[in-house]
Amino acid sequence: MIDGVGIIPDGAKRIANKAFYMNKELVSVVIPDTVTEIGAEAFSFCTNLEKVVLPASLSVIDFKGFNSCNKLSEINLPDSLKTIGACCFNGCALTSITIPPQVTVLEDFVFGYCNKLEAVKLPESLTRIGNAVFSNCGIRNVDIPAGVDFIGRDAFYKCSNLESVVLPDNLKAVYDTTFSGCENLQSVTVGKNIKFISDSAFTYCDSLDTIVVDKDNPYLDSRDNCNAAIDTVSNKLIKASNSTIIPSTVVEIGERAFMGLNKIRHISIPMGVTKISDACFCFCGSLESVDIPDSVTNLEKDAFKYCKSLKSVKLSKSLKVIKGFEGCESLETLEIPHGVVTIGESAFKGCLALSKADLPETVSQVDSDAFHTCGLQSIVLPSQLRKIGNSAFAGTKIKSVVIPKSVVEISSSPFYGCSELESIVVEDGNELYDSRDNCNALIETKSNNLLNGCYNTTIPNTVTAIGGLAFYECKKLKEIVIPDSVTQIKSSAFAKTGLVRIEIPASVKTISYAFGSCENLEEVIISGSYDDDLGFTFKDCVNLKRIVYKTGLKKKILGSVFEGCTS
């Protein structure tokens, strides 16, 4: 190499693997006419390489031949070239490329992350486009040759400038995330032999307005000019656009069918649809209202997840299980139909504007996180309720709750983080749970484990354990007496409360991170002979000023116990 110019000896037939690998001084190279093959990684990571002249004799560029040459903005591939190896130009600065006529296959990641690559010309000889070939490129338009019968996963992933695509007749399937994230893709034409379109093939294509399936396709169709792809035999809507009108013959809306379409404000679901699949309308950011007809019996998980503009929903009266509205932060009104049996996991989690939800008497189960951090200000639990899942009402604004005598299963801390909660009552006659001695707490009767408290709780002297997160984020809790009956205080039991002073009795044997981030805590009195390490029990109690140790400590108090206690 002389002055940044690579010198290839005359008569050379092959450039060896890694011949110039990671050569930071190489700026340009002219390859002589005798060379037929460039070896694997021959010029890989030559980050200052700007100019390459390829010979008319060249037949093969092997794996990662010019990978990550991030200043290489132009290259002319000779007509003699037959093979372009995987990742060959991955991460280059190319702005345009013409694939030679003898190339039949584009291997995986050949032009991946060439984000300046806008113009691509593919040869009629091409039959296969591998995985992620043009992933994260700047391509605006691409003509896929008629002979292409395979396009791999992520092939055009996040080509954010791509506006239209025509899928050729030879193609049989469109796989996972092939065009996902093409946010400016407006139209898709589906060839006549395509049998399968993955539910993630076109996710997050925000601008997609037109989908047309070839009229001679026996597997898929766009009946009634619906601007969607529908499975002809099953009548399942596979992929929708912003302009889709769901035909009356559709019985199922498939997984991710409308996912990420951001122009839709209202969707009309026709009577006859029985199933709305998982993540069907997920991330439809402009969707404001939806009417779910009574024919729908199955509403799957995440169906409307993170539809942040969704304000009103009319639910099907045929539903037995409700789920799928997590993160719908604008949802204000909701009527849960009589006949619903289960409020599913995370059904309304993060629905910040939802201040009221009347549960019908038919509800027997509220699953984990069902109303977690939603705006609920009050709740009446139905008299036939049997199960309350973990964190079911955590982080809500409810002030009081009555646990019916019918309840037989409560997972840990269903009401943790409810900072306004002032009253917890278990109905008389419940055989498994109680709120003994008017304690304003939820206690598991057999184990004497206090599962949930509030800022008005008085811990009974029969309680032996305080459950994890039992008083978590009770900001109004300023003081509390832990009775001598308590032997265990579980993780985060009093974390982030408003406690100013706490005394831990000698009866407590096990404790860890129980009082973390109590920012108002000023005084701690510790006694007892602990069986376990105290861990980070008082971590980040930034105003803790006074610690009183009583006799009887078995173990040395480690520095981590008071980590972050800067006062």
Side-chain angles (χ1 to χ4, degrees), residues 513-534:
Y513 194 66
F515 299 90
S517 299
C518 290
E519 295 180 354
N520 296 324
L521 188 61
E522 296 180 358
E523 182 181 47
V524 173
I525 301 173
I526 302 175
S527 54
S529 53
Y530 300 104
D531 294 333
D532 296 328
D533 197 311
L534 292 178

Side-chain angles (χ1 to χ4, degrees), residues 273-292:
V273 172
T274 60
K275 180 179 179 181
I276 299 175
S277 301
D278 184 24
C280 179
F281 294 93
C282 186
F283 291 105
C284 289
S286 298
L287 185 63
E288 295 179 356
S289 63
V290 62
D291 292 344
I292 301 175

Side-chain angles (χ1 to χ4, degrees), residues 26 41 64 72 104 354 361 385 531:
L26 186 66
E41 301 184 274
K64 290 188 175 181
L72 185 62
T104 60
L354 186 63
E361 283 298 308
L385 187 66
D531 294 333

Side-chain angles (χ1 to χ4, degrees), residues 314-499:
K314 182 181 179 297
L315 293 170
S316 165
K317 294 178 181 178
S318 302
L319 289 171
K320 300 298 181 186
V321 179
I322 293 180
K323 48 192 169 183
F325 295 94
E326 180 181 350
C328 295
E329 58 188 36
S330 299
L331 186 61
E332 298 173 342
T333 60
L334 180 72
E335 182 179 344
I336 299 174
H338 186 83
V340 169
V341 175
T342 301
I343 309 296
E345 182 178 350
S346 301
F348 301 101
K349 183 178 181 180
C351 293
L352 303 179
L354 186 63
S355 60
K356 184 180 180 183
D358 293 331
L359 303 182
E361 283 298 308
T362 52
V363 171
S364 63
Q365 181 169 321
V366 180
D367 285 343
S368 298
D369 296 314
F371 293 94
H372 191 294
T373 57
C374 77
L376 278 185
Q377 296 181 4
S378 64
I379 190 70
V380 176
L381 300 180
S383 61
Q384 302 304 310
L385 187 66
R386 295 185 63 78
K387 177 182 177 182
I388 304 175
N390 184 45
S391 309
F393 298 92
T396 60
K397 298 176 182 179
I398 59 174
K399 294 183 178 181
S400 64
V401 63
V402 177
I403 311 294
K405 62 183 177 182
S406 57
V407 173
V408 296
E409 181 180 346
I410 301 178
S411 298
S412 61
S413 306
F415 305 99
Y416 89 82
C418 296
S419 58
E420 300 298 318
L421 190 59
E422 59 188 22
S423 173
I424 303 175
V425 175
V426 179
E427 190 177 22
D428 289 342
N430 191 305
E431 297 180 357
L432 300 177
Y433 303 95
D434 66 80
S435 49
R436 64 192 70 167
D437 306 330
N438 298 316
C439 63
N440 270 317
L442 170 62
I443 299 170
E444 188 177 46
T445 302
K446 185 176 181 179
S447 67
N448 292 311
N449 181 15
L450 191 152
L451 298 177
N452 244 129
C454 65
Y455 69 83
N456 282 329
T457 293
T458 300
I459 304 175
N461 59 13
T462 50
V463 166
T464 59
I466 301 174
L469 301 168
F471 293 87
Y472 184 81
E473 282 193 343
C474 284
K475 298 295 185 183
K476 294 182 180 181
L477 181 68
K478 303 300 181 184
E479 59 181 346
I480 197 163
V481 176
I482 301 175
D484 289 339
S485 58
V486 173
T487 61
Q488 183 179 16
I489 304 176
K490 297 182 181 180
S491 180
S492 299
F494 294 94
K496 295 188 177 182
T497 60
L499 284 171

Side-chain angles (χ1 to χ4, degrees), residues 502 504 521-526 538 544 546-548 562:
I502 191 68
I504 302 173
L521 188 61
E522 296 180 358
E523 182 181 47
V524 173
I525 301 173
I526 302 175
F538 298 97
L544 184 59
R546 186 168 183 265
I547 304 162
V548 178
F562 299 102

Side-chain angles (χ1 to χ4, degrees), residues 62-117:
D62 211 338
F63 172 71
K64 290 188 175 181
F66 293 90
N67 176 57
S68 296
C69 294
N70 52 27
K71 288 188 179 179
L72 185 62
S73 60
E74 183 181 355
I75 194 165
N76 292 318
L77 303 178
D79 287 350
S80 57
L81 191 64
K82 296 179 180 178
T83 302
I84 305 173
C87 304
C88 189
F89 295 98
N90 184 67
C92 290
L94 299 173
T95 58
S96 65
I97 196 75
T98 298
I99 308 300
Q102 295 192 70
V103 173
T104 60
V105 175
L106 289 178
E107 300 287 357
D108 297 351
F109 285 97
V110 170
F111 298 101
Y113 293 93
C114 293
N115 51 30
K116 296 180 180 179
L117 183 60

